Amino acid sequence: MSRTVIHGGLVITASDEIHADVLVEGGRIAALAAPGTDAAAGWSAERRIDATGKYVIPGGVDAHTHMEMPFGGTYAADTFETGTRAAAWGGTTTIVDFAIQSMGRSLREGLDAWFEKADGRCAVDYGFHMILSDVNESSLKEMDRLVAEGITSFKLFMAYPGVFYSDDGQILRAMQRASGNGGLIMMHAENGIAIDVLVEQALAEGRTDPRYHGDVRKVALEAEATHRAVQLARVAGAPLYVVHVSADEAVAEIAAARHKGLPVFGETCPQYLFLSTDNLAEPDFEGAKYVCSTPLRPREHQEALWRGLRNNELQVVSTDHCPFCFSGQKEMGRGDFSKIPNGMPGVEHRMDLLHQAVVEGHISRRRWIEIACAAPARMFGLYPRKGTIAPGTDADIVVYDPEAEQVLSAETHHMNVDYSAYEGKRITGRVETVLSRGVPVIEDGAYVGHAGHGAYVPRGLSQNL
Ligand SMILES: NC(=O)NCCC(=O)O
Ligand SMILES: [Zn+2]
Ligand SMILES: [Zn+2]
């Protein structure tokens, strides 16, 4: 069994910061010992990593990605191969992607298609959620079987009528089913019926630029849908996880539900924490790069999101990585913002952007690891195998240099997309080494992994409840 020692670093988990030497045996962490143990005892190992002055942190868990997702007549530009490689570059060692049930088809067909896309192609480990597009008696029954197989979370949409949309009755039925089988309902909370009216009116009045995408997807319509989702979950007796929360009033809805003791959880994404409607308003159609749903909000919303993350009103930061190239894909919406494919790239930058948030004082180091590693792992039934550093857990480990300086750019990123949403942004901190189940994937600033190393991980029930 191959052995690796990481010595001299500061091991940071969601609960502790300790200077320790870490021994990896095969794919697992075998021991943590006082600093200097390795030097004194001479642990036998094939590989020694000097982490002096560096952080030793769990690999990131990104619980919201869309590799090769079909949307608006095109596909998200990252494949499982390119997207998981980019994830590895950024210190993320597990993704949970969304398999999609097509209208009129079974969950199984959708799931099989996603297994086919991912199998043998991933650089790091992966699991699946299931998007329910067609809630009916048979798909409800299938939910039970999927939960038993390790697909333990289901996304429903209150937006996108005619595509992914479920009405309140369908949502209630799915939540009731989840309350019986232990599954977790993830909600895209925007009132899509009302939004479509506003889209139609905007286009009829000649308001066609990307910034109107943000205008029509009103804060009130995110807050209203969030409130409705909470009440439906309450009636069903089911837990609820609200994805990509962007608006202060939606955070308030989640906080109010949690205050009442309801099992309601919230996720936000780096784009809502670092970008704003100013980006959507960039001239020459450049705003299209920032079209995603829920939309970017005015800067004032960011403080509520940071506060929510600090106070545990929001538990997780995922990327909602869903990249479309500016050229040829985002451009499909020139003259009609509603035809711009929704989604932004980000899987590579989440750990760095959140470290920047530590540097800027928004969150503590341990909260960084909680929201990016431990909480998503617990929320989606992967903990403690993923999301922490402890004996017996998978050796998904990042050696992170907190002093290194870097500038994010499309010139240097590894995502398969022709722009960076963070072009020119300076970051203090950088991933130096990444191990996935003990195997080096990033070493000395080079990718040393391979497609197919990443394994499918069936998940348990959510442990956050
Ligand atoms: N978020 C987004 O704009 N695209 C991906 C699909 C979704 O998460 O709703
Ligand atoms: Zn969504
Ligand atoms: Zn998404």
Side-chain angles (χ1 to χ4, degrees):
M1 202 183 295
S2 87
R3 285 160 66 101
T4 299
V5 172
I6 305 171
H7 59 90
L10 177 67
V11 176
I12 308 174
T13 64
S15 55
D16 295 296
E17 299 187 5
I18 49 162
H19 285 278
D21 292 349
V22 181
L23 175 64
V24 173
E25 265 179 2
R28 298 263 171 92
I29 294 170
L32 268 76
T37 303
D38 175 37
W43 279 340
S44 74
E46 289 80 64
R47 186 180 299 106
R48 283 206 146 62
I49 300 170
D50 182 0
T52 308
K54 313 281 161 59
Y55 298 159
V56 179
I57 60 174
V61 178
D62 190 343
H64 191 153
T65 68
H66 300 282
M67 306 303 173
E68 301 177 49
M69 180 188 178
F71 193 100
T74 187
Y75 287 85
D78 261 319
T79 61
F80 277 88
E81 181 166 349
T82 61
T84 57
R85 194 164 59 211
W89 273 104
T92 286
T93 50
T94 308
I95 63 161
V96 190
D97 202 88
F98 288 84
I100 302 182
Q101 175 202 23
S102 304
M103 193 65 85
R105 304 286 180 150
S106 66
L107 302 190
R108 176 71 53 198
E109 283 172 274
L111 190 57
D112 285 350
W114 256 257
F115 272 119
E116 179 79 13
K117 288 177 207 250
D119 188 30
R121 296 190 174 88
C122 292
V124 295
D125 290 354
Y126 60 99
F128 291 121
H129 314 283
M130 188 84 224
I131 286 178
L132 296 180
S133 313
D134 193 356
V135 178
N136 55 45
E137 264 320 301
S138 119
S139 51
L140 287 168
K141 283 201 189 104
E142 277 194 283
M143 283 173 75
D144 299 351
R145 289 198 284 275
L146 261 58
V147 169
E149 287 174 28
I151 317 290
T152 54
S153 39
F154 302 88
K155 184 176 177 191
L156 290 159
F157 288 76
M158 301 168 113
Y160 305 128
V163 189
F164 297 126
Y165 175 83
S166 293
D167 67 28
D168 288 357
Q170 291 172 310
I171 289 170
L172 183 62
R173 283 182 199 282
M175 286 174 164
Q176 288 169 331
R177 200 80 191 192
S179 124
N181 64 28
L184 179 62
I185 297 293
M186 308 169 76
M187 188 61 73
H188 181 131
E190 287 188 294
N191 185 327
I193 301 284
I195 286 169
D196 272 10
V197 172
L198 299 181
V199 170
E200 198 185 302
Q201 290 169 350
L203 294 176
E205 289 162 14
R207 289 182 279 129
T208 61
D209 288 352
R211 70 192 148 114
Y212 296 110
H213 172 83
D215 257 21
V216 298
R217 305 188 88 91
K218 305 270 182 216
V219 166
L221 297 177
E222 183 183 344
E224 181 276 328
T226 305
H227 182 83
R228 188 156 35 99
V230 167
Q231 299 311 320
L232 291 169
R234 185 176 160 203
V235 169
L240 173 71
Y241 176 92
V242 184
V243 295
H244 47 53
V245 174
S246 66
D248 54 4
E249 290 180 34
V251 179
E253 293 291 345
I254 291 167
R258 292 179 60 78
H259 192 67
K260 287 195 190 105
L262 295 171
V264 172
F265 307 96
E267 160 201 280
T268 191
C269 312
Q271 52 269 35
Y272 307 119
L273 295 163
F274 290 95
L275 304 173
S276 74
T277 42
D278 295 350
N279 299 97
L280 266 178
E282 285 178 16
D284 302 325
F285 197 65
E286 297 271 320
K289 295 175 177 173
Y290 308 93
V291 164
C292 59
S293 297
T294 55
L296 302 186
R297 301 293 183 192
R299 248 173 218 293
E300 303 81 82
H301 290 258
Q302 291 173 359
E303 191 39 46
L305 298 174
W306 287 121
R307 203 178 326 111
L309 286 170
R310 282 192 297 272
N311 297 346
N312 206 35
E313 291 161 355
L314 300 174
Q315 287 71 38
V316 172
V317 175
S318 307
T319 58
D320 195 4
H321 176 75
C322 190
F324 296 99
C325 288
F326 183 71
S327 168
Q329 293 192 297
K330 291 288 187 182
E331 281 178 331
M332 291 160 72
R334 271 192 199 274
D336 178 350
F337 67 83
S338 73
K339 295 203 165 53
I340 301 168
N342 284 202
M344 285 178 54
V347 75
E348 188 169 348
H349 299 319
R350 186 182 62 124
M351 299 299 286
D352 283 331
L353 286 164
L354 291 176
H355 182 258
Q356 185 61 28
V358 173
V359 171
E360 290 174 12
H362 292 294
I363 50 173
S364 68
R365 286 192 293 218
R366 276 174 280 167
R367 192 65 184 156
W368 170 42
I369 302 306
E370 169 73 13
I371 63 183
C373 310
R378 275 198 307 273
M379 190 71 69
F380 296 106
L382 290 164
Y383 194 86
R385 182 171 170 193
K386 307 291 188 190
T388 193
I389 293 183
T393 68
D394 280 0
D396 292 355
I397 302 176
V398 174
V399 178
Y400 195 84
D401 182 349
E403 309 285 342
E405 299 285 334
Q406 56 169 319
V407 179
L408 305 185
S409 171
E411 301 281 304
T412 48
H413 76 200
H414 303 86
M415 299 174 285
N416 186 35
V417 63
D418 62 359
Y419 73 95
S420 172
Y422 304 97
E423 189 64 43
K425 186 167 178 60
R426 290 182 177 280
I427 299 279
T428 302
R430 182 178 208 126
V431 168
E432 199 173 88
T433 301
V434 178
L435 302 183
S436 163
R437 281 178 282 105
V439 176
V441 185
I442 302 291
E443 209 173 25
D444 299 329
Y447 176 70
V448 293
H450 65 90
H453 164 78
Y456 170 68
V457 194
R459 296 178 293 112
L461 298 183
S462 177
Q463 297 144 289
N464 258 47
L465 311 175

